[in-house]
């Protein structure tokens, strides 16, 4: 699928393996989420346009590239997406941050939106939606629906672990959106958890279970 990018970097693979381990505690888990967001963000932003500017080094005047183009918005899906924000801000400190609140019903697995606040001029921004888990795809599909409804056009999504079912559903719903995946897992189980996955990302980041 043209718009899906799978990460191949050994550092990303290693860190995802460390995240998966049941024995990894909250503190280390959070750090890994942040580090993986930096590494994935580096890959996802590789096509940012640049323009040349004149600068002066201690040696001479020169023309050199800087990032050009649109301003950025990072949009985590609450709660677990919050864990990826600091990593993205380390790459692009000037980015604005929006929030989309969504929780999955435990029985039906259908996402329920409960909050949405996006930065102004969203239609002019590059928007990077972050959520560690893409399971059925329902949460990410609805989040991008909402962003598009508010005028967002240039959208990328970053998920650390995805199930094939979620990738298929998402690309069908939003074929125009670039999707960056850290690891593609085997399948969903009967509770719509990703296998082998890492369990509940929100609970592991915030220590709530
Ligand atoms: C998790 C995860 C995604 C969603 C993925 O959030 O962070 O948002 O599930 O599942 P889906 O692809 O089937 O929609 P959850 O709803 O558990 O909320 P939380 O982050 O508050 O724990
Ligand atoms: N949400 C999670 O946090 N983990 C899964 O495996 C599926 C959805």
């Amino acid at each position: 699928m043209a718009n899906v990018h799978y990460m191949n970097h050994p550092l990303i693979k290693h860190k995802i393996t460390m995240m998966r381990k049941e024995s990894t505690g909250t503190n280390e888990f959070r750090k890994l989420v942040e580090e993986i967001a930096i590494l994935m963000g580096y890959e996802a932003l590789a096509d940012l346009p640049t323009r040349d500017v004149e600068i002066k080094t201690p040696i001479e005047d020169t023309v050199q590239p800087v990032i050009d183009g649109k301003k950025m918005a990072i949009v985590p899906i609450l709660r677990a997406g919050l864990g990826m924000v600091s990593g993205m801000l380390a790459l692009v400190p000037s980015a604005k941050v929006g929030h989309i609140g969504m929780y999955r019903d435990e029985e039906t697995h259908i996402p329920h939106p409960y909050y949405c606040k996006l930065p102004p001029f969203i239609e002019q921004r590059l928007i990077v939606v972050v959520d560690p888990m893409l399971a059925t795809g329902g949460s990410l599909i609805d989040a991008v629906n909402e962003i598009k409804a508010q005028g967002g056009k240039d959208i990328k999504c970053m998920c650390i672990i995805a199930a094939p079912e979620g990738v298929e559903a998402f690309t069908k719903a939003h074929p125009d959106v670039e999707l960056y995946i850290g690891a593609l897992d085997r399948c969903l189980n009967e509770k719509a958890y990703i296998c082998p996955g890492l369990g509940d990302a929100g609970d592991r980041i915030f220590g709530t279970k």
Side-chain angles (χ1 to χ4, degrees), residues 104 133 135 192-194 197-202:
R104 289 198 323 174
M133 309 305 276
Y193 272 84
I194 300 173
L198 49 70
D200 187 304

Side-chain angles (χ1 to χ4, degrees), residues 36-125:
I36 293 164
I38 294 173
L39 294 167
M40 288 186 64
Y42 175 83
E43 302 273 358
L45 301 180
D47 61 353
L48 284 185
T50 61
R51 71 187 151 89
D52 287 340
V53 295
E54 289 176 16
I55 61 162
K56 188 173 166 53
T57 77
I59 307 300
E60 61 181 27
D61 292 342
T62 178
V63 174
Q64 299 292 333
V66 292
I67 300 291
D68 191 22
K70 300 174 194 170
K71 303 214 176 306
M72 197 181 299
I74 300 160
V75 180
I77 301 179
L78 307 180
R79 293 173 300 165
L82 285 174
M84 298 173 74
V85 172
S86 56
M88 289 302 293
L89 286 175
L91 294 175
V92 188
S94 62
K96 302 285 188 266
V97 180
H99 295 87
I100 293 186
M102 200 85 81
Y103 73 90
R104 289 198 323 174
D105 182 292
E106 283 188 12
E107 300 296 322
T108 64
H109 315 129
I110 291 171
H112 293 275
Y114 59 87
Y115 186 77
C116 180
K117 178 97 180 169
L118 301 178
F121 309 112
I122 198 70
E123 69 285 355
Q124 297 170 21
R125 295 180 186 275

